[in-house]
Amino acid sequence: FETMVRHPGEEFVFVVSGAVELHSDIYAPILLEAGDSVYYDAGMGHAFISVSEADAVILNIVAGGSAHSDPES
């Protein structure tokens, strides 16, 4: 990856179908298959790659943080 995604808040991902790998700047990649989920601090660099034959479908919920990059606004 050129850069991983990182943003304020927390993130929950549930794999609806297929399989994905979660890559982060802290942990070794993990394989998530249909029915698996993961919850993490979204400030950690992260990226998902679909690794199943068909495109994976995930439910991604982000909570907390702010849409503004300036904490004073």
Side-chain angles (χ1 to χ4, degrees):
F1 307 102
E2 284 188 33
T3 60
M4 292 190 179
V5 175
R6 63 174 37 91
H7 50 85
E10 299 167 309
E11 200 156 340
F12 172 80
V13 173
F14 176 80
V15 182
V16 177
S17 64
V20 296
E21 277 184 352
L22 168 58
H23 293 256
S24 76
D25 59 4
I26 298 175
Y27 303 106
I30 61 170
L31 175 66
L32 300 166
E33 297 177 310
D36 291 340
S37 62
V38 64
Y39 179 82
Y40 55 91
D41 181 335
M44 168 185 73
H46 57 283
F48 286 91
I49 298 174
S50 179
V51 294
S52 47
E53 283 190 34
D55 287 342
V57 176
I58 64 171
L59 171 66
N60 186 7
I61 300 171
V62 179
S66 171
H68 302 285
S69 59
D70 180 1
E72 298 298 317
S73 35

